[in-house]
Amino acid sequence: MTNPLPPRILATDAALALIAQLTDRHGPLMFHQSGGCCDGSAPMCFPRGEFKVGAQDVLLGHVGGEVPVWIGAAQFEYWRHTQMTIDIVPGRGAGMSLESPEGMRFIVRSRIFTDDENALLEAAGDPPRGNAIA
C-alpha cells in the first residue's frame, strides 16, 4: 500500500464557508496565488476562467471539492516545500479578489512539509501546469 500524497493546498472551515457563499453568488470559482502584484502575495479569488491560466501556472490542488488553486511557477519554486492553507481575516484586500466587498480577505497560512512528505511529493513529480490541463 502506498502512502497518499499530502495535499499542497487546504482551506479552513471559515474560508470554505466564504467560498461557498461566493460560489452561490458568482458561480464556479478559482484561486490564483499572487506573486506580489496588487495585494502582496494573497490568494486571489476569481470567477473560474476570468484569470487566464497559462504554461507558467502550477495547479496546487482544489479546495471545497472543485475550486482549483493555481500559483505561478516561479512562486511555486519558493513554496514547493510548504503546505498552504487558505484562511480569511477581517479587512479588505486590493479589490480584485471577489471577497473584497464582504469585508473579509483571503490569506495564506503555511507549514513546512516533513521530510517524509517532501519525499513523497518529490517522487510523485511536479503538479500539472496550466498548459497540461484540458
Side-chain angles (χ1 to χ4, degrees), residues 41-123:
S41 58
M44 305 294 279
C45 183
F46 302 101
R48 190 167 311 156
E50 184 176 296
F51 184 94
K52 300 300 180 202
V53 175
Q56 290 301 309
D57 293 302
V58 176
L59 180 64
L60 291 176
H62 294 78
V63 295
E66 61 184 54
V67 179
V69 181
W70 297 89
I71 190 170
Q75 195 74 347
F76 175 71
E77 290 307 315
Y78 288 113
W79 292 77
R80 75 180 304 126
H81 302 294
T82 61
Q83 183 177 63
M84 299 166 62
T85 301
I86 296 174
D87 199 357
I88 58 172
V89 294
R92 290 187 56 140
M96 290 176 54
S97 192
L98 286 177
E99 81 283 2
S100 186
E102 307 301 319
M104 302 297 287
R105 64 182 290 175
F106 289 110
I107 62 166
V108 167
R109 300 184 191 281
S110 63
R111 74 165 182 92
I112 303 295
F113 285 121
T114 67
D115 290 342
D116 290 342
E117 289 171 325
N118 264 322
L120 287 170
L121 289 165
E122 289 302 316

Side-chain angles (χ1 to χ4, degrees), residues 122-133:
E122 289 302 316
D126 283 344
R129 293 205 178 203
N131 61 340
I133 305 291

Side-chain angles (χ1 to χ4, degrees), residues 33-42 75:
Q33 174 64 37
S34 170
C37 172
C38 306
D39 201 14
S41 58
Q75 195 74 347

